[in-house]
Amino acid sequence: MNDTTTFNVNGGQVSIAKDNATIYVTQNNGVPANELDTIMKGIIDNLSHLKEEDAEQIKDIVEMADEELKKPEPKVSRLRSYLTVIAPMFTIANGIPTLADNLQKLVDYITPFIH
């Protein structure tokens, strides 16, 4: 007996597993870039309220995350690292609600890419 399977796919993603295989897939369905740009602007615009060293630290990490997120296939390991570095920044942002809110939005934006 000849088992033949044919798939016709237009504009989609197919993942096939055999036997006990497990597939982990992340698909970016055109998440609007302007959402990320809005989050980034909300962070950058509120850094002036911080000490220069703290502002630079936050600016550097969020710009690296922004750059990675805009790639066609962001690296999960890098995004995980950025989340680890962003976490203590909430303490720095304490007292600046808009900055803390936008940092949380960035974390929420990154999270689907790593799960």
Side-chain angles (χ1 to χ4, degrees), residues 14-59:
V14 175
S15 301
I16 300 172
K18 185 174 180 178
D19 299 326
N20 292 324
T22 301
I23 298 175
Y24 297 97
V25 178
T26 300
Q27 182 173 348
N28 182 342
N29 288 326
V31 176
N34 63 347
E35 179 183 352
L36 181 57
D37 291 341
T38 301
I39 294 168
M40 294 301 297
K41 183 174 177 3
I43 293 170
I44 301 300
D45 287 353
N46 286 281
L47 295 178
S48 62
H49 305 294
L50 299 174
K51 293 186 291 184
E52 187 176 339
E53 180 182 315
D54 291 339
E56 281 301 315
Q57 182 183 11
I58 291 174
K59 184 179 178 194

Side-chain angles (χ1 to χ4, degrees), residues 4 87 103 108 113:
T4 303
L103 284 171
D108 294 343
F113 288 90

Side-chain angles (χ1 to χ4, degrees), residues 26 75-77 79-80 83 110-115:
T26 300
K75 293 192 180 204
V76 172
S77 60
L79 294 175
R80 278 194 183 109
L83 287 179
I110 293 171
T111 301
F113 288 90
I114 62 170
H115 292 291

